[in-house]
Amino acid sequence: MASIKEESSIKVFGGWQKVFSHDSKELGCCMKFGVFIPPQAESGPVPVVYWLSGLTCSEQNFITKAGSQQHAAKYGFLVVAPDTSPRGCNIEGEEESWDFGTGAGFYIDATEEKWKKNYRMYSYITKELPDVIAANFKIESDKASIMGHSMGGHGALICALKNPGQYKSVSAFSPICNPINCPWGVKAFTGYLGAENKDAWKEYDACELAKKYSGPPLEIFVDQGKSDNFLSQGQLLPDNLVGACAAGGVQIVLRMQEDYDHSYYFISTFMGEHFDHHAKFLKA
């Protein structure tokens, strides 16, 4: 059994919001992740939903601000919220900016020399963390979904599109939809994957992946605030994702929400509807 350490435990909505830590082999450091254990887990295995957070976040932002526990308790979902990057690796430059390095792992496996040992968030999310969860919690092994916000929305989309069938459903709030064509993505991909390795960039871009998707039917559900300042700055590019899904035959529902911004106020407002979306597939 993968070894984990309980860091905190709080009773909420009949279940338990816990935080655990473990030594990650993929990332070469100690990582924390939040787990909401619903009351239904006392009776047997439950589906699992993974949440991926955005730039500058840790496992704390989602579990304290999103209001997810009440919805997870309603459906009996175990919800896993990992950190967004390795911590304390002492890599030169990892603390220099808020949108690269610490808190900004971008859910990819780095290939550039300085970063490739530790910055392997894609493999951590899709391989190591699910193994840790399966070894320590009562879950239905064939019922997992994934969701996220901003950088984490990008992460959720690419994890679902790159691993057909691993996740029953996917949803996102304000995702970075087309990172190879936005400032955040270009900065991250240049640093982690190399300026010249554009083919590798495409393998972590939801638009590029949607165009060539071949797998079980996948319905992408996205909420985007119309007053999101990062939308107006060209960082998110949801229309590009809609076009890519049309080209690849991937079903997508994009809802543009009047007056809402990029914050957890926005996320918490529509969180219940995202759990409704996942329940259609996890409870089928």
Side-chain angles (χ1 to χ4, degrees):
M1 178 177 289
S3 177
I4 62 175
K5 176 185 177 183
E6 185 174 302
E7 300 287 347
S8 64
S9 181
I10 299 174
K11 186 80 171 182
V12 57
F13 288 101
W16 292 93
Q17 179 61 63
K18 297 176 180 282
V19 173
F20 296 91
S21 62
H22 75 118
D23 291 325
S24 168
K25 293 181 179 179
E26 283 287 356
L27 306 178
C29 67
C30 181
M31 291 291 286
K32 289 183 178 179
F33 57 90
V35 177
F36 174 72
I37 304 173
Q40 293 88 337
E42 295 180 5
S43 303
V46 295
V48 58
V49 176
Y50 292 90
W51 168 271
L52 305 184
S53 293
L55 288 164
T56 75
C57 292
S58 70
E59 81 289 341
Q60 287 294 317
N61 299 72
F62 175 75
I63 67 177
T64 59
K65 296 180 180 180
S68 63
Q69 293 90 351
Q70 60 183 313
H71 308 297
K74 171 185 174 181
Y75 286 116
F77 293 161
L78 188 110
V79 182
V80 181
D83 203 344
T84 52
S85 71
R87 300 276 171 174
C89 296
N90 298 315
I91 301 171
E92 181 186 3
E94 69 177 346
E95 304 286 348
E96 289 181 359
S97 59
W98 65 273
D99 55 359
F100 184 81
T102 300
F106 263 84
Y107 305 104
I108 66 177
D109 286 350
T111 55
E112 288 294 279
E113 191 62 36
K114 189 164 65 169
W115 307 99
K116 68 180 184 180
K117 177 182 177 183
N118 302 104
Y119 277 69
R120 297 180 50 79
M121 286 299 294
Y122 172 75
S123 287
Y124 177 71
I125 295 298
T126 59
K127 298 174 184 177
E128 183 178 12
L129 186 58
D131 287 345
V132 170
I133 298 302
N136 290 279
F137 302 94
K138 297 177 181 179
I139 61 167
E140 297 183 66
S141 60
D142 62 339
K143 290 190 176 180
S145 291
I146 194 165
M147 61 196 304
H149 169 235
S150 195
M151 178 186 71
H154 143 77
L157 292 171
I158 65 167
C159 287
L161 291 165
K162 286 171 70 68
N163 298 277
Q166 182 168 339
Y167 306 98
K168 297 293 186 183
S169 55
V170 59
S171 74
F173 294 87
S174 315
I176 301 172
C177 297
N178 194 191
I180 66 174
N181 286 316
C182 78
W184 278 339
V186 170
K187 179 177 180 177
F189 287 9
T190 297
Y192 295 135
L193 302 173
E196 306 302 321
N197 198 3
K198 297 299 174 62
D199 287 338
W201 291 26
K202 293 180 180 180
E203 289 303 310
Y204 294 107
D205 185 292
C207 289
E208 296 297 323
L209 294 168
K211 292 174 187 176
K212 62 179 185 179
Y213 178 78
S214 61
L218 184 68
E219 180 183 315
I220 297 172
F221 182 52
V222 175
D223 269 321
Q224 172 63 61
K226 284 188 177 182
S227 294
D228 186 331
N229 59 321
F230 298 119
L231 176 67
S232 60
Q233 291 172 16
Q235 296 282 17
L236 306 177
L237 306 174
D239 291 340
N240 292 11
L241 181 61
V242 172
C245 286
V250 177
Q251 187 174 353
I252 183 170
V253 174
L254 170 63
R255 307 193 308 183
M256 301 297 296
Q257 304 288 5
E258 198 74 41
D259 296 328
Y260 284 92
D261 61 9
H262 200 73
S263 72
Y264 269 88
Y265 294 109
F266 161 58
I267 293 169
S268 63
T269 299
F270 299 103
M271 181 59 66
E273 293 171 59
H274 282 246
F275 273 86
D276 293 343
H277 169 74
H278 295 298
K280 289 192 301 182
F281 303 93
L282 294 175
K283 305 295 281 188

